[in-house]
């Protein structure tokens, strides 16, 4: 005999709610075995879940698209910043720039280029280095020209714009997922309640008719492995 199983995925939940929300025959069946308030809950939850899933898909697609574009921009910004720092350290070693000036760049200790291979690292170090170079030049220091800080700043600004946009879409994706998660418990409760009422209403029907009627209202049945399908 087939057994009933509640939806395990959000797509299956949406399908089950849709079957309830769109099935006007529920109102016309003798005795109206599902009240309007419960059906209204199903319709409301269907709209909420549908909207949240749509927003999640849109945000995720945009996030992935921005992620592909940001890789190149991040590489360019990292390369310019890394080259600038290497030239800066060489200038310090040659005595062209006072080692004490490195503190203005947020650099201390050994003359080693910090780790820059993540977006977070770039967001941390680029503003420090750009600010430090501008401050040193304002005091009369000779600017580094290979690459100039203007080029470093330009590549960083382009990357930062995309990075900030990507973070916004990540937040939207996370919010949409949180909205979906928050709906699941209530949705499962509504589906369970309605399915119980549906099966109760058709319990005296012959098995073939009973399963057919229940499926029409969205109830999902499964057969166990190797079990012969009868109804």
């Amino acid at each position: 005999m087939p057994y009933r199983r509640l939806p395990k995925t959000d797509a299956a939940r949406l399908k089950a709610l849709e079957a309830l929300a769109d099935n006007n025959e529920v109102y016309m069946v003798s005795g109206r075995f599902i009240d309007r308030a419960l059906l209204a809950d199903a319709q409301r939850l269907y709209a909420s879940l549908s909207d949240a899933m749509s927003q999640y898909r849109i945000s995720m697609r945009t996030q992935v698209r921005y992620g592909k574009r940001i890789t190149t921009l991040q590489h360019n910004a990292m390369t310019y910043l890394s080259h600038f720092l290497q030239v800066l350290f060489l200038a310090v070693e040659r005595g062209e720039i006072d080692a004490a000036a490195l503190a203005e760049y947020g650099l201390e200790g050994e003359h080693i280029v910090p780790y820059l291979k993540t977006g977070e690292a770039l967001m941390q170090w680029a503003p420090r280095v750009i600010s430090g170079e501008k401050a040193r030049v304002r005091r009369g220091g000779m600017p580094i020209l290979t690459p100039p800080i203007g080029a470093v700043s330009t590549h960083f600004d382009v990357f930062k714009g995309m990075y900030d946009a990507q973070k916004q879409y990540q937040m939207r994706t996370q919010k949409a997922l949180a909205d979906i998660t928050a709906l699941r418990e209530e949705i499962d409760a509504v589906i369970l309640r309605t399915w119980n009422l549906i099966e109760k209403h058709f319990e005296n029907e012959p098995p073939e008719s009973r399963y057919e009627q229940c499926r029409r209202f969205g109830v999902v049945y499964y057969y166990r492995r190797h079990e012969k399908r009868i109804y």
Side-chain angles (χ1 to χ4, degrees):
M1 296 292 288
Y3 67 97
R4 189 187 77 182
R5 189 174 72 191
L6 289 172
K8 297 296 184 182
T9 67
D10 295 316
R13 289 183 177 93
L14 192 66
K15 185 176 181 180
L17 289 172
E18 184 179 21
L20 293 170
D22 292 345
N23 204 328
N24 292 326
E25 292 184 33
V26 173
Y27 292 115
M28 296 182 287
V29 173
S30 175
R32 189 183 292 159
F33 59 96
I34 301 178
D35 62 50
R36 291 182 182 273
L38 186 55
L39 286 173
D41 283 341
Q43 292 168 344
R44 172 180 57 81
L45 291 169
Y46 171 78
S48 297
L49 181 60
S50 179
D51 288 346
M53 290 176 65
S54 177
Q55 182 60 55
Y56 177 80
R57 287 191 295 268
I58 292 171
S59 297
M60 181 57 74
R61 283 198 298 266
T62 306
Q63 183 179 323
V64 171
R65 186 168 66 250
Y66 270 68
K68 292 178 180 178
R69 294 172 60 188
I70 203 172
T71 300
T72 299
L73 300 179
Q74 180 175 323
H75 174 76
N76 292 341
M78 179 198 69
T79 300
Y80 271 79
L81 181 59
S82 176
H83 286 179
F84 179 90
L85 288 171
Q86 291 174 51
V87 174
L88 173 64
F89 289 143
L90 287 173
V92 170
E93 291 176 8
R94 291 193 296 263
E96 298 169 0
I97 296 177
D98 189 344
L102 292 178
E104 293 185 281
Y105 299 81
L107 299 163
E108 298 177 0
E110 296 183 11
H111 299 171
I112 299 175
V113 175
Y115 184 78
L116 301 173
K117 292 187 178 181
T118 65
E120 291 74 14
L122 274 176
M123 293 294 292
Q124 175 186 355
W125 282 105
R128 293 180 182 179
V129 173
I130 293 168
S131 175
E133 174 69 359
K134 290 180 178 179
R136 187 182 63 81
V137 171
R138 280 197 301 270
R139 294 200 321 274
M142 292 296 294
I144 292 174
L145 300 177
T146 52
I149 199 63
V152 176
S153 181
T154 296
H155 282 281
F156 172 69
D157 286 344
V158 174
F159 160 74
K160 182 178 183 300
M162 188 67 70
Y163 179 88
D164 289 342
Q166 172 78 334
K167 287 297 182 183
Q168 288 296 318
Y169 279 106
Q170 287 177 347
M171 290 175 60
R172 293 182 187 178
T173 302
Q174 292 169 0
K175 181 182 182 305
L177 183 58
D179 290 342
I180 292 172
T181 302
L183 288 168
R184 287 173 183 159
E185 184 176 353
E186 185 180 4
I187 287 172
D188 289 347
V190 167
I191 292 174
L192 176 61
R193 185 179 171 192
T194 53
W195 283 13
N196 285 343
L197 292 171
I198 290 166
E199 287 191 324
K200 179 67 176 177
H201 183 78
F202 294 109
E203 66 180 349
N204 294 323
E205 296 282 337
E208 182 177 358
S209 174
R210 180 170 75 248
Y211 289 120
E212 180 183 356
Q213 294 284 359
C214 290
R215 287 191 181 101
R216 191 158 55 89
F217 290 105
V219 182
V220 178
Y221 294 100
Y222 291 88
Y223 285 86
R224 294 171 179 81
R225 184 177 297 181
H226 306 309
E227 186 177 13
K228 183 178 179 180
R229 186 183 180 91
I230 302 175
Y231 307 114

